Amino acid sequence: MREDILAKRLFMVGCFGLPWLWAVHILYFFRKQKQQSTASAGQQLLTDQSVESTTYNDEPNDDSDGNGSGENNRALALEEKKWVRREIVALVLVSMAWVTWIIVFQILKNEYFSEEWLVRTPDQIDASGW
């Protein structure tokens, strides 16, 4: 599966209630980027020469749209990076909302939230022996 399509699907699934998938995909993306950069660091000169000979060649490629494979790969990488950035922003916003809810509930639970909000009432906790 193409990486940009996977990134878009994981973003959408995260929007439907599984935001932890955003964190998993962000970690996967940055690990993949780090591995690619370390693998290509030793072969930088060879890579530059091969990209020049294939991308800037006057002959058309086998691609149906006529673009070079280097340009297509860059476009796919930018598309994937766009969805990963959206995942980062969404994960930060959801995490901030979750932490805010926890703090507000812990501070104001006795004043504004009745015992129906709690899983166990204070009387049940004392009776359980825990």
Side-chain angles (χ1 to χ4, degrees):
M1 177 180 290
R2 286 185 4 202
E3 297 290 329
D4 61 327
I5 295 173
L6 177 66
K8 183 177 181 179
R9 287 182 182 173
L10 286 174
F11 178 78
M12 295 300 174
V13 170
C15 288
F16 287 114
L18 297 172
W20 58 270
L21 281 178
W22 293 332
V24 171
H25 186 249
I26 291 166
L27 293 174
Y28 167 76
F29 175 76
F30 284 115
R31 179 175 288 170
K32 182 181 74 165
Q33 293 292 13
K34 186 176 181 180
Q35 289 174 352
Q36 287 177 351
S37 67
T38 57
S40 65
Q43 301 175 0
Q44 186 64 28
L45 181 60
L46 179 62
T47 304
D48 289 341
Q49 292 172 352
S50 65
V51 168
E52 286 177 5
S53 65
T54 58
T55 305
Y56 302 110
N57 197 347
D58 291 333
E59 300 174 47
N61 255 347
D62 292 339
D63 295 339
S64 60
D65 58 356
N67 291 337
S69 63
E71 293 175 13
N72 191 25
N73 287 341
R74 277 184 250 134
L76 292 176
L78 288 174
E79 184 72 16
E80 180 185 13
K81 196 176 282 190
K82 174 180 79 172
W83 287 106
V84 171
R85 285 184 186 141
R86 289 179 181 179
E87 288 175 346
I88 291 170
V89 170
L91 183 63
V92 167
L93 291 175
V94 167
S95 297
M96 287 176 26
W98 183 61
V99 168
T100 302
W101 167 250
I102 290 173
I103 291 171
V104 166
F105 184 79
Q106 290 299 320
I107 292 173
L108 302 174
K109 70 179 175 183
N110 293 333
E111 297 172 20
Y112 294 106
F113 302 105
S114 63
E115 290 184 354
E116 288 85 28
W117 282 76
L118 304 174
V119 176
R120 290 185 175 189
T121 63
D123 297 334
Q124 292 173 334
I125 292 173
D126 293 337
S128 67
W130 286 86

